[in-house]
Amino acid sequence: MTETLAFTQEPHASPVAVADRQAQLANPGFGRVFTDHMALVHYSEAEGWHDAKITPRVEFRVDPACAVLHYAQEIFEGLKAYRTPDGGAQLFRADANARRFRQSARRLAMAELPEGIFLDSIRQLVRTDRDWIPDSPDGALYLRPFMIASETFLGVKPSSEYLYIVIASSVGAYFKGGAPAVTLWVSENYTRAAPGGTGDAKCGGNYAASLAAQSEAIKQGCDQVVFLDAVERKWIEELGGMNIFFVFDDGTLQTPPLTGTILPGVTRDSILTLGRAQGLTVREELYSFDQWKADAASGRLVESFACGTAAVITPIGTVKHSGGEFTIGSGGPGQLTGALRKTLVDIQRGVTPDPHGWTEKLF
Ligand code: COI
């Protein structure tokens, strides 16, 4: 699907002043600084995809009976535009996000956005708001495409109308202070996704369902929750909003397989490819919480890390659970984790050549 639409440009009449923007870019944190514009496309059963525009980022009105407010028919994506050393900017694997957005739409019974429209909306928004791309080492323009069911109707059925929107946020590191290693809380009371459910779709509902467990993690002094599978409550699945990897003392890299309950992360997939390209043994295999604990104690497991577009690659130092806690390796950033992170980030930022054809230079 490569169908596309012409985007009308509606420039902001009073964009954020240069000095104010620079002040916001100095320390953006994550998800609080927004650019001047957004992309917007409408869908209706009668007209299909139509009325595509880049327009000022403003509040918008929805009817209180708008379907998404009641039945959560909503999906989203996360990808970044990176500042390149020559002062330009590039995208990383935006085509993979476009593809996953369609897969998520299918699972949530929503209209599938043609990949060409998704990609053009991203390209045009980044070009329009190019001055908002930070040039700090951890900084990027985080793009958040999302789609909501916009029909005004309380019947439980797929909406006949949708709004597709892309907003952009200037960001730094996801974890406060660019945490050298994060602490996880193993959720025993809650699960994230069941077989046949929406675990492999990127829908807001999955994240809503993770929040009680994430709150528990915060109460326990941890940064993130890690979920076990819903059937046996045994196998490690993923974090609240990131995939997970394990590194063993023989250099093997392992991550849980995509069984339908795990989000198929673009960063996860990129790490698997980078690992294989470096000649590492790479496994997509189930790994139990008990084994994780035992391997951390015996020293067979030397590193673990979380990965995602927002988190990039973040080392996991300590794991807490109802029965105690254990430390992974030295409790700080591991060697292979650091090397993989550098390889990935250098490609994303155009510091080294991209042998996999993952990047698209925008200007
Ligand atoms: C991302 O990594 O882009 C996500 O969507 C996850 C969220 C924790 C921000």
Side-chain angles (χ1 to χ4, degrees):
M1 245 202 266
T2 52
E3 180 194 331
T4 192
L5 287 173
F7 279 74
T8 306
Q9 298 284 334
E10 296 177 348
H12 204 302
S14 50
V16 173
V18 176
D20 187 3
R21 186 181 66 233
Q22 280 165 352
Q24 293 187 56
L25 287 177
N27 187 15
F30 185 90
R32 296 192 188 280
V33 172
F34 297 100
T35 68
D36 293 310
H37 298 86
M38 63 183 182
L40 182 61
V41 188
H42 292 257
Y43 175 88
S44 68
E45 274 175 8
E47 292 180 82
W49 294 101
H50 64 281
D51 200 11
K53 53 191 175 190
I54 302 293
T55 189
R57 179 185 173 277
V58 289
E59 292 163 6
F60 59 91
R61 295 157 66 102
V62 290
D63 191 282
C66 181
V68 69
L69 301 179
H70 301 271
Y71 310 123
Q73 204 188 6
E74 187 267 356
I75 57 170
F76 71 97
E77 271 301 326
L79 67 160
K80 285 173 173 169
Y82 301 87
R83 189 62 80 186
T84 49
D86 61 0
Q90 65 185 21
L91 297 174
F92 179 76
R93 304 195 68 184
D95 55 329
N97 295 93
R99 210 160 37 243
R100 188 172 64 184
F101 198 64
R102 276 208 298 121
Q103 286 159 359
S104 297
R106 206 173 308 146
R107 178 62 185 86
L108 274 283
M110 302 172 87
E112 289 180 41
L113 180 73
E115 288 165 28
I117 299 179
F118 181 102
L119 291 170
D120 279 347
S121 68
I122 301 290
R123 291 169 183 139
Q124 301 216 26
L125 182 60
V126 175
R127 288 193 178 110
T128 303
D129 282 339
R130 60 173 70 200
D131 292 339
W132 288 90
I133 309 173
D135 51 17
S136 55
D138 278 339
L141 189 65
Y142 183 79
L143 298 149
R144 172 52 62 87
F146 64 103
M147 178 160 57
I148 60 170
S150 53
E151 184 178 354
T152 301
F153 181 57
L154 290 183
V156 182
K157 62 140 192 118
S159 177
S160 62
E161 294 168 17
Y162 296 93
L163 271 182
Y164 165 72
I165 301 172
V166 190
I167 54 173
S169 174
S170 310
V171 301
Y174 184 74
F175 290 105
K176 247 206 187 117
V182 294
T183 301
L184 303 189
W185 170 251
V186 182
S187 180
E188 287 161 33
N189 297 326
Y190 301 105
T191 58
R192 177 185 170 276
T198 57
D200 62 354
K202 201 159 177 69
C203 60
N206 288 343
Y207 294 77
S210 77
L211 295 179
Q214 177 63 21
S215 298
E216 218 176 61
I218 301 290
K219 245 186 243 147
Q220 296 291 338
C222 299
D223 301 292
Q224 270 281 314
V225 60
V226 55
F227 288 104
L228 303 179
D229 77 288
V231 177
E232 296 182 72
R233 304 278 183 122
K234 175 177 176 180
W235 308 105
I236 300 160
E237 294 226 305
E238 68 179 288
L239 277 50
M242 293 146 218
N243 293 119
I244 187 166
F245 272 84
F246 310 97
V247 180
F248 296 94
D249 58 357
D250 62 357
T252 302
L253 195 59
Q254 183 168 331
T255 192
L258 301 178
T259 52
T261 54
I262 290 177
L263 191 82
V266 176
T267 311
R268 174 192 178 280
D269 184 72
S270 307
I271 291 165
L272 290 172
T273 302
L274 292 176
R276 287 190 186 107
Q278 285 176 24
L280 299 176
T281 303
V282 173
R283 287 195 297 252
E284 292 176 79
E285 268 175 35
L286 294 175
Y287 192 49
S288 73
F289 172 55
D290 286 343
Q291 195 63 49
W292 194 18
K293 217 171 9 179
D295 289 345
S298 73
R300 182 174 167 254
L301 177 93
V302 290
E303 302 174 33
S304 296
F305 60 86
C307 68
T309 297
V312 194
I313 292 181
T314 303
I316 298 165
T318 304
V319 181
K320 293 188 186 179
H321 52 98
S322 63
E325 64 179 75
F326 60 90
T327 302
I328 295 165
S330 63
Q335 208 190 338
L336 185 63
T337 303
L340 280 169
R341 182 187 157 96
K342 179 165 170 30
T343 307
L344 176 68
V345 167
D346 284 355
I347 294 173
Q348 288 172 330
R349 295 179 178 276
V351 172
T352 49
D354 165 21
H356 305 284
W358 283 337
T359 53
E360 178 185 333
K361 194 90 161 72
L362 292 183
F363 56 87

